[in-house]
Amino acid sequence: MLVLRLLNVVAPAYFLCISLVTFVLQIFLFIPSMFRDPSTTPLFSPALLHGALFLFLSANALGNYVLVIQSSPEDLGKGLNLGEGAEVVADWLDGSRSPGSALPSTHFCRLCARVTQRHDHHCFFTGNCIGSRNMRNFIMFCLYTSLACLDSLVAGMAYISAALSMSFANPLAFLTLLPHSISQFFSGALLSSEMFVILMLYLWLGIGLACAGFCCHQMLLILRGQTRYQVRKGMVVRARPWRENLQEVFGKRWLLGLLIPVLNVGSDYRRQKEK
């Protein structure tokens, strides 16, 4: 339990550190290297378009990250007739017991000390549980984080290609880049800044693919009307059309949340809460 609590603190700090390094490299290294002659740069140059795209992806990833943290699952234990005193809540720590008035798929998280409605999982990179209130923002966070990492990967490969006068036309060039770079770095033929960028290329690739895969898996569960917690516990869910399952998470005005980081709009959960 102590290790999990420590991970719950270290993982968000690690994500913010990677985000800061990525932003610095893009703004002060990759994008300036795309300008051959700033005085003759047209208004819609590839460098400016790439900079605008990166800022859009980064703003959405960071905005949804903040909303996931701010939209913490409510402490539903106050309204589920769990009784008074910590003893009753302690009996529900394993998540297998549900009080009579509890909503389906509620779960008590030991790390958050909250009972979450439609609990999906605990995300260590946000230090928060993912449930009804922040599922949409969490998916958008994963999507834009994946796109920002892949965008940084392409920009970094372009920078390394120009700095080292090499081509990535052959797919094996990227696979053999790291071992060759390590040998050149220790022989003094490679600068430390270039070696750092090469290491970040593989980190962006790993994070981008992991976030993309997790986002696709989460979308499949949403289409089926399930959560990861329900699948893990073997719970049977009521079959519903996939459109209703999507609307429950993304709301009717889903396009607004796709373009800018906002709280859940038009979802069933928000309407029930207002009632």
Side-chain angles (χ1 to χ4, degrees):
M1 190 64 181
L2 180 60
V3 176
L4 294 179
R5 292 187 181 276
L6 181 61
L7 182 62
N8 204 43
V9 176
V10 174
Y14 172 78
F15 170 77
L16 293 177
C17 181
I18 294 298
S19 301
L20 179 61
V21 171
T22 302
F23 182 82
V24 171
L25 288 177
Q26 283 271 18
I27 298 300
F28 297 101
L29 188 63
F30 297 160
I31 296 178
S33 65
M34 298 178 185
F35 289 96
R36 297 182 178 180
D37 186 2
S39 60
T40 59
T41 299
L43 180 61
F44 297 103
S45 65
L48 292 177
L49 293 177
H50 171 77
L53 176 62
F54 173 73
L55 292 178
F56 171 76
L57 298 177
S58 300
N60 275 277
L62 184 59
N64 283 286
Y65 180 81
V66 173
L67 291 178
V68 169
I69 298 176
Q70 289 184 345
S71 304
S72 300
E74 296 182 23
D75 188 0
L76 298 179
K78 299 178 180 179
L80 296 179
N81 295 335
L82 295 179
E84 298 180 355
E87 297 83 3
V88 180
V89 177
D91 293 337
W92 210 22
L93 287 177
D94 59 354
S96 59
R97 295 182 55 190
S98 298
S101 59
L103 298 173
S105 303
T106 53
H107 172 71
F108 182 84
C109 179
R110 300 180 181 181
L111 297 175
C112 295
R114 295 188 184 96
V115 180
T116 309
Q117 179 184 356
R118 285 194 63 81
H119 176 83
D120 189 85
H121 69 285
H122 182 90
C123 176
F124 289 98
F125 285 98
T126 60
N128 203 1
C129 272
I130 307 302
S132 297
R133 295 189 65 184
N134 51 14
M135 173 61 73
R136 201 279 310 275
N137 294 119
F138 176 74
I139 293 177
M140 291 294 100
F141 159 68
C142 291
L143 173 63
Y144 280 107
T145 299
S146 174
L147 294 177
C149 287
L150 296 179
D151 176 82
S152 301
L153 174 64
V154 173
M157 291 176 62
Y159 173 80
I160 291 297
S161 177
L164 303 182
S165 300
M166 61 177 301
S167 174
F168 289 99
N170 187 356
L172 295 178
F174 183 79
L175 299 178
T176 59
L177 176 63
L178 183 60
H180 290 170
S181 301
I182 293 177
S183 61
Q184 293 179 2
F185 174 74
F186 285 105
S187 64
L190 192 66
L191 299 178
S192 57
S193 59
E194 296 171 346
M195 185 64 201
F196 180 75
V197 172
I198 292 174
L199 293 176
M200 290 299 299
L201 292 180
Y202 290 90
L203 184 60
W204 287 325
L205 177 63
I207 296 177
L209 292 180
C211 289
F214 193 89
C215 185
C216 293
H217 174 69
Q218 204 70 43
M219 285 299 301
L220 289 177
L221 291 178
I222 292 176
L223 291 174
R224 295 166 55 184
Q226 289 182 310
T227 63
R228 294 180 62 186
Y229 176 72
Q230 291 175 332
V231 174
R232 187 170 66 251
K233 293 295 182 179
M235 297 180 180
V236 179
V237 297
R238 180 172 59 90
R240 296 188 306 175
W242 61 271
R243 294 181 182 273
E244 294 184 10
N245 296 329
L246 283 178
Q247 182 176 332
E248 182 180 12
V249 175
F250 294 94
K252 292 182 177 180
R253 291 172 287 177
W254 57 271
L255 184 59
L256 178 63
L258 185 63
L259 299 177
I260 57 176
V262 293
L263 291 172
N264 289 354
V265 284
S267 64
D268 294 336
Y269 172 77
R270 303 288 292 186
R271 289 196 296 268
Q272 291 174 3
K273 183 179 178 182
E274 292 174 357
K275 293 180 182 179

